[in-house]
Amino acid sequence: MHNFHKADYRVLFERSADAMLILDGNRFVDCNRAAVTLLGYEGREELMKARPSQLSPTLQPDGRRSDKKADEMAAAAFRNGSHRFEWLHKRACGEVFPVEVLLTVIPFGGREVLHVAWRDITQRKRTEERLRLSRHVIENTSEGVIVTDLTPAIIEVNPAYSRITGYDREESIGRNPGFSKSGHHDSAFYARMWQSLRRDGRWQGEIWDRRKDGELFPKQLRIDTIYDEEGQPLYYIGVFSDITFAKQAEKRLQDLAFSDPLTRLPNRSLFYTQLQREIISALRRATRIAILFIDLDHFKAINDGCGHSIGDQALIIAAERIRDAVRASDVVARVGGDEFTVILPDLPSPDAAAQVASKVVSVLGKPIQLDGRDFRLGASVGISVFPEDGDSVDDLMRHADIAMYQAKSHGRGGYCFFSEELNRTNRRRASLETEMRRSLDLDAAFVVQYQPMVDLSSGAWVGFEALARWRHPEFGTVPPEEFISLADDNGLIGPIGCRVLRTACRQVKRWNDRTGGRFRLAVNLSARQLLAPGLVEDLRAVLAETGVAADQLELDITESVMVTKAESAIQQARHLKDLGLRLAVDDFGAGFAALNHLRRFPVDTLKVDRSFVIQDHGSRRDSAILKAIVAMAGQLGLTVIYEGIETDEQLAFCRDCGAGLAQGFLFCHPLDAADIEPLLRPAT
Ligand code: C2E
Ligand code: MG
């Protein structure tokens, strides 16, 4: 084996990447190439000429003078044989840099000198500095920081972590970070989290956790993976903040935006979101939901009549009663002025919805005391059921609404299920309504037909009943039974009725003028028309405009309005009588026992309903009733008109019951004015 020679050591000294110098007292006696380059000198000779004090700045980082400190370091080396320390050097150009120095005492020519070896530690210092900074940031940040290995087991946490979770460092280290799971998320949630951690190296999201004291809290968490140089994962680092307050603030804002300030119930937009959510969950679990659409029957009257503050209190009480009538897990919302909705999730059967609806109707039907007075709100409820009546929020709401209207029209204070048939009728009504508005702009769409009224004793025509017809290019002739009630609901009865009245008056006046006769005219008034505020003025204007005498015009009023709206109808009837008009009770006997009302109602004519005329004439009892009615009418001084006579037999039967007028296909169908014309004869 080749032994190391003196020359070999020289090479070692010369080629070392660490700077080396030999210091004899206060003088350099040798140095290597690294020392020359690192200190930035031209060559060895120059460096040798420099005094040691020239190679350092005046002060070291600890604030002490370099020469003093250098002496101490040397002394330490002489004492111990060697000494290691950090130092600041200065290059020839004046630049200062940190080094780590090792002083070794070596024998040299019978004396002891120092071997000085050092290396530039700028890089290491920088890293250390950065680490110190990170440490400082991590220790002081308000966000919780948690570092785990790949197990994952916690290997470090910061003070904020302990502050937020309540767990101190010692009790957390070594544990799986899942130890504080809230139980809020299913295993699929965590599986997704780990999947994205492995795939993307990070995950970010909101997650619920449990504090040491058991309280659940939401945190915004971000997890990153730390890799080694080869790209192999080393650690996970999680940084999170407690977002309890942010969540609470968000919830408060939401509550404000999505609840009705008066009743504190969810408003329409929140209700829609919740219904959407319930539909999704019902789909998943294959369960049923019912939607109740509740409309207060008499709210408007209370609100208009007693002021908004009473109205508001009534709504608050209604809201409370509805809330109390359903389960806590059912959703109750206020979706309009006096409209409430309820979602009944997990419906065992539609029957259960009926029970709740009936309970709601009953609690809202109980009187409420406001301002020392008793009020009765009353409610009508429409029910739609998912999935039978629709699978979207809009359909379910629309159908519940339709059902509610149906409930209302069956007399208020009840509930009604939606049905496909209801839907069809409603759709037809909706398209009829649109068309009706369009038709009103066209003069030709609404026309009047006339049916003669015949005097039973002479057979002569004494007048005509005006009957409205709607001729539509697509629907054909829509029967008045269908469009009048629709127009009554949507308010178009006003303009339509006015048009019929004016046309018919003008027509009959013309016939009177041509024949020199004195035909009377019967025009039908719906309940709504009768009660409309402008009726008297309209009639006065039409009479004046057409020149028809008031006592020639008879208004047909249905029997039902005399019963349901008795007071206001009587009032209005009096005003009409004051104008000099005649009034007739239409469809008399069709269903309401209104004999009693007749006494209070200022009518002139009784139009006996067709059902009496067509009944089984063999029955002595029926003919006895009709005879009694006619006799009573006679005693009250009323004219009787038999309606809908189609056969000679019916005619004979009516004659037998008593004198009067008659209408019916037997005499003449309702005809257009142009077809009536040729049949008219001059009065004799
Ligand atoms: P209404 O006042 O009882 O009119 C009599 C109805 O009986 C008419 O039906 C007429 O065509 C029909 N009729 C007449 N003779 C016979 C007959 O011998 N046999 C049968 N089966 N029916 C006969 P229309 O024209 O369909 O009118 C139905 C209802 O619509 C009317 O009943 C009336 O209440 C209402 N109406 C018609 N025109 C108007 C109007 O301009 N305004 C208002 N508000 N209602 C109207
Ligand atoms: Mg009539």
Side-chain angles (χ1 to χ4, degrees), residues 43-64:
R44 190 171 167 272
E45 283 67 38
E46 264 157 290
L47 179 53
M48 289 295 91
K49 268 186 252 156
R51 272 174 298 113
S53 63
Q54 272 176 274
L55 302 186
S56 304
T58 324
L59 299 177
Q60 287 299 309
D62 57 6
R64 302 171 57 195

Side-chain angles (χ1 to χ4, degrees), residues 310-530:
I310 296 275
D312 282 355
Q313 290 177 54
L315 285 174
I316 292 172
I317 293 175
E320 280 167 4
R321 290 191 180 175
I322 298 172
R323 213 19 312 167
D324 289 345
V326 303
R327 273 191 262 154
S329 53
D330 299 338
V331 178
V332 178
R334 178 173 172 224
V335 296
D338 58 351
E339 293 167 342
F340 296 85
T341 45
V342 181
I343 307 175
L344 306 174
D346 285 329
L347 202 66
S349 74
D351 203 42
Q355 279 169 23
V356 178
S358 142
K359 191 164 167 199
V360 166
V361 166
S362 123
V363 295
L364 290 175
K366 296 215 171 78
I368 48 177
Q369 278 252 324
L370 291 175
D371 231 16
R373 292 161 64 190
D374 260 356
F375 293 95
R376 215 175 273 269
L377 276 172
S380 303
V381 180
I383 307 170
S384 68
V385 175
F386 169 88
E388 284 85 345
D389 301 334
D391 54 10
S392 72
V393 169
D394 284 340
D395 279 356
L396 289 166
M397 284 295 280
R398 198 161 45 78
H399 292 165
D401 188 43
I402 290 174
M404 184 277 291
Y405 272 103
Q406 184 71 4
K408 254 197 203 316
S409 71
H410 284 163
R412 299 159 169 219
Y415 63 87
C416 182
F417 277 93
F418 172 77
S419 71
E420 232 350 275
E421 186 186 307
L422 254 186
N423 195 25
R424 267 196 300 278
T425 330
N426 241 275
R427 256 192 252 142
R428 170 153 167 99
R429 275 172 84 91
S431 58
L432 278 181
E433 179 170 337
T434 321
E435 285 306 309
M436 190 178 288
R437 288 179 200 282
R438 206 170 294 160
S439 289
L440 260 178
D441 298 335
L442 307 168
D443 249 357
F446 290 96
V447 296
V448 183
Q449 287 199 323
Y450 301 87
Q451 183 175 44
M453 298 190 248
V454 179
D455 186 333
L456 273 186
S457 51
S458 64
W461 291 10
V462 296
F464 301 93
E465 172 165 11
L467 294 162
R469 299 287 176 260
W470 180 17
R471 296 207 171 117
H472 187 271
E474 191 187 323
F475 304 135
T477 300
V478 183
E481 247 96 29
E482 191 166 1
F483 78 82
I484 295 286
S485 75
L486 176 58
D488 232 9
D489 289 346
N490 65 24
L492 292 178
I493 191 69
I496 294 175
C498 248
R499 192 171 294 185
V500 170
L501 184 70
R502 187 170 280 117
T503 310
C505 282
R506 219 176 263 149
Q507 187 59 62
V508 168
K509 169 78 167 119
R510 215 174 290 148
W511 288 335
N512 282 343
D513 290 349
R514 255 202 40 210
T515 59
R518 214 173 136 56
F519 291 120
R520 53 200 253 194
L521 170 65
V523 175
N524 294 284
L525 282 192
S526 72
R528 175 142 173 180
Q529 276 177 287
L530 175 70

Side-chain angles (χ1 to χ4, degrees), residues 465-467 522-525 556-558 586-587 607 643 663:
E465 172 165 11
L467 294 162
V523 175
N524 294 284
L525 282 192
D556 284 9
I557 296 158
T558 59
D586 214 346
D587 308 330
K607 297 187 98 165
E643 282 202 290
Q663 282 173 239

Side-chain angles (χ1 to χ4, degrees), residues 126-145:
R126 237 178 243 154
T127 312
E128 273 174 22
E129 194 52 44
R130 224 176 295 137
L131 276 174
R132 204 170 20 248
L133 188 66
S134 320
R135 182 98 230 153
H136 182 82
V137 170
I138 290 172
E139 295 286 305
N140 290 288
T141 181
S142 59
E143 295 184 302
V145 177

